[in-house]
Amino acid sequence: MFIADPQLGKKNTGQAVENWKRGVAGHCDAIRTLINQNRSPSAVHVAWMGDETEGVCNNYGNQPHTVELNLSKQLELDFDLRVWTLKQVAELGLPISASSVISNHGEWSRNGSKEPVTSQGDNASTHIARQVQKLFSETEAFGGSHIDWTIGDGDPAVLVNLSGVDCYFSHGYIEKGKGGSTEIRTKSAIERQILGRTDTLGNVPLWFMAHYHHFYTNEFEGRTLFGMPALEAERSSEYMLNQYGVWSKPGMLGMLVGEHTERRWSDLSVL
């Protein structure tokens, strides 16, 4: 299940929390249905895809005037929801893995600049992931769930192998491509990444990106790209609505990944 762009702390944070919890509960119910149908997944992977919090300044000039939660409250809420998510998944009784990537709203930027204070790897998204990792690592000795983690650092993406399938997870704000639409530019960015990193990315069949706040998919040359829907409150990205007249219904993407189909994925749903 993919948790993308809730941007906790911006207007209507309560709706974003509801969207997050509804998505997790819905996908856990879907997994229970698969188990009852004797189609149980071998494990559950929770992918945090970035922009879990809105931030309070420097990323965008209007942030100090529009946020509902200060930075401490945003980070605390993100931590609480990640812990809650993994507890819900643990009740399924399946092995668990998790990943987290850096994101633009996770950057702590310099005053008067969008450049990070230290590095892009010094990022709220992966910082909170590491705190959650520490918590579950400590509780494992007392009977808590074991979780296999892949947490990004300076690179824009992480590679995770799920049931024999290499998957590329990235927020999608660093990789740049050319084209007349979000989908075409992202496809172009992927092709550039493959050319630059053929040894590590040449055989990766599944690519998952967030950042653009709507669900889309694009299949090309034996690969499939999935763009994440956002969990933020509906129509809360005013600049998108006011400038371009576009918005997308919030939701959480989930699917089965593995060698059980030729395309290596199935049972896709947005909840």
Side-chain angles (χ1 to χ4, degrees):
M1 61 183 72
F2 300 88
I3 298 171
D5 295 282
Q7 295 187 345
L8 301 170
K10 73 188 301 183
K11 290 192 299 183
N12 298 318
T13 292
Q15 289 185 31
V17 172
E18 291 175 5
N19 294 337
W20 182 323
K21 289 189 172 183
R22 183 189 66 247
V24 171
H27 287 300
C28 285
D29 285 343
I31 293 170
R32 291 187 181 93
T33 298
L34 290 171
I35 293 173
N36 292 334
Q37 294 173 345
N38 293 320
R39 299 178 60 219
S40 175
S42 59
V44 179
H45 184 79
V46 181
W48 276 281
M49 299 297 292
D51 281 6
E52 291 81 14
T53 54
E54 169 69 6
V56 295
C57 65
N58 295 330
N59 296 88
Y60 302 99
N62 68 328
Q63 282 177 322
H65 311 287
T66 60
V67 295
E68 294 182 340
L69 302 176
N70 64 29
L71 184 58
S72 295
K73 294 296 185 182
Q74 291 181 30
L75 297 176
E76 289 171 13
L77 181 56
D78 181 18
F79 177 87
D80 291 344
L81 285 171
R82 294 199 202 206
V83 172
W84 175 86
T85 297
L86 293 172
K87 289 169 66 178
Q88 301 305 303
V89 172
E91 292 180 0
L92 298 169
L94 297 171
I96 306 170
S97 60
S99 61
S100 185
V101 297
I102 64 173
S103 64
N104 54 306
H105 279 265
E107 290 181 351
W108 289 301
S109 304
R110 304 172 194 173
N111 289 327
S113 170
K114 292 183 71 173
E115 293 299 316
V117 175
T118 55
S119 68
Q120 289 175 324
D122 185 13
N123 201 282
S125 291
T126 47
H127 167 68
I128 296 300
R130 290 188 176 91
Q131 302 312 301
V132 177
Q133 179 188 30
K134 288 179 181 179
L135 173 65
F136 278 89
S137 295
E138 292 177 359
T139 59
E140 187 177 348
F142 303 96
S145 298
H146 172 77
I147 300 172
D148 293 317
W149 290 87
T150 306
I151 301 176
D153 192 2
D155 288 336
V158 297
L159 279 180
V160 182
N161 187 280
L162 301 177
S163 297
V165 178
D166 285 331
C167 301
Y168 182 99
F169 296 125
S170 176
H171 185 62
Y173 78 110
I174 294 178
E175 301 93 329
K176 302 295 183 183
K178 296 181 179 181
S181 70
T182 295
E183 293 84 354
I184 294 173
R185 287 193 296 273
T186 307
K187 174 180 178 291
S188 170
I190 288 173
E191 292 171 337
R192 288 167 178 257
Q193 290 293 320
I194 292 171
L195 287 174
R197 306 182 184 187
T198 305
D199 55 335
T200 56
L201 302 180
N203 294 319
V204 175
L206 299 183
W207 298 69
F208 301 97
M209 304 278 204
H211 189 55
Y212 293 107
H213 291 219
H214 69 284
F215 170 69
Y216 64 91
T217 184
N218 191 349
E219 194 172 56
F220 56 99
E221 293 92 43
R223 300 177 178 89
T224 309
L225 162 66
F226 296 93
M228 300 294 116
L231 290 170
E232 65 172 0
E234 191 168 304
R235 305 189 192 220
S236 63
S237 290
E238 285 186 341
Y239 78 97
M240 290 291 290
L241 184 62
N242 294 339
Q243 292 185 33
Y244 305 108
V246 297
W247 59 278
S248 182
K249 194 170 186 63
M252 184 182 294
L253 181 70
M255 66 177 69
L256 291 180
V257 171
E259 299 287 358
H260 60 292
T261 70
E262 185 177 1
R263 283 181 166 83
R264 301 182 179 90
W265 63 270
S266 69
D267 296 81
L268 182 149
S269 60
V270 177
L271 302 173

